[in-house]
Structure formats: C-alpha cells, structure tokens
Amino acid sequence: MKLTQALVEDFDAVLEFVHAYYTYDQIAIRPQLADGVRTLLADPQLGRVWFITADAQRIGYVVLTFGYDHEFGGKTGLITDLYISEEFRGAGLGTCAFAEILGLARSFECNIVELVVTPHNSRVPEFYNRMGLSLSDRRTYSVVL
C-alpha cells in the first residue's frame, strides 16, 4: 500500500471516489462538491488528496485539509475523507494509510489531527481507537452557507 498524491488532472478519478464514499456513508452530494474538489486539488495551501494504491491499483483515497487553532499552537490537520473500496476492506490497508497520513501531517507541521465521522458508521470507532485516536469531549456544530 502506498499513497500517491492526486493532481488537478486526476479530478475525475478523485470525484468518482468521493461519490462512492459519500454514497456509502450517506453523505449528501451538494452541487458545489465538484468545485470544492477542484479547488482543493489546485491549492496545496488548503490541503492534499491522495489515492490509496495497492499493487499499482487505486483502491481508495484520503483527504487532509489544513486549518489553524491557537489552542494547539498553530496548524491543524483535518481528515475529511478516508475511503477504501469495499472489496479491499479488512486487509489492513486502512491502517497503513492512516499511519502514513499521520506521518504526512507531522511533515506539514500539524500540531493536531482531527477527523470527521458519521455516527451511523459502526465500524469506524473501533478502527480509530486502534489507531490511537480518542473521542473528543466536544461536539461540532455547523451551518452550510
């Protein structure tokens, strides 16, 4: 397993994975989604997208975006998407990808990495606990503008 950074010219392939993930995780596909993916691929200051590859085949993707929080002394990382195609799950590839993403976040000088999880995905808490993450005592509220 390795991560390969997605480039602007990979837009269609990334968007295909995003649609598969959003469908799987029951996330609404909003009209501005494609523009958001295109913008992220074009501006590395915002974050990065990587394909998860195994045997030279793209089997998923991961998104790490950047923010800033004075509480943690600076730059933050947010894993917004981590998706592996169903037929490749359960083989430890997600564990490898997650470990690699944390290393990349450190190399980008992120002081904390957070991630977004939908509550109905029952497999996720166990996986992230094994990765050393703990559930925050905070809740995130949001408003779509």
Side-chain angles (χ1 to χ4, degrees):
M1 186 292 315
K2 72 176 192 168
L3 298 182
T4 306
Q5 187 172 335
L7 305 172
V8 174
E9 54 266 24
D10 297 314
F11 169 78
D12 290 333
V14 171
L15 194 59
E16 188 175 323
F17 272 121
V18 172
H19 278 260
Y21 167 55
Y22 281 31
T23 300
Y24 168 77
D25 222 9
Q26 303 169 21
I27 299 170
I29 297 175
R30 302 183 191 287
Q32 64 270 40
L33 176 65
D35 288 338
V37 170
R38 189 175 282 110
T39 299
L40 180 59
L41 289 170
D43 188 349
Q45 297 280 13
L46 297 174
R48 303 288 194 293
V49 179
W50 292 273
F51 291 112
I52 302 169
T53 60
D55 298 324
Q57 179 182 0
R58 293 174 176 167
I59 62 165
Y61 79 109
V62 61
V63 174
L64 176 70
T65 61
F66 303 129
Y68 185 92
D69 191 329
H70 64 276
E71 178 183 356
F72 298 102
K75 195 172 187 179
T76 64
L78 177 66
I79 299 172
T80 62
D81 299 19
L82 174 57
Y83 175 78
I84 295 178
S85 298
E86 190 171 355
E87 62 269 25
F88 297 98
R89 293 181 197 147
L93 299 168
T95 300
C96 293
F98 193 81
E100 196 163 328
I101 282 297
L102 291 181
L104 288 164
R106 283 185 198 93
S107 75
F108 292 125
E109 300 180 348
C110 294
N111 295 329
I112 187 171
V113 173
E114 299 172 307
L115 51 94
V116 178
V117 177
T118 55
H120 63 271
N121 191 336
S122 61
R123 294 177 66 191
V124 167
E126 180 185 330
F127 172 75
Y128 288 128
N129 286 336
R130 283 196 324 263
M131 298 294 96
L133 280 85
S134 59
L135 187 60
S136 171
D137 59 351
R138 299 176 187 188
R139 292 186 181 180
T140 301
Y141 292 85
S142 62
V143 60
V144 177
L145 303 175

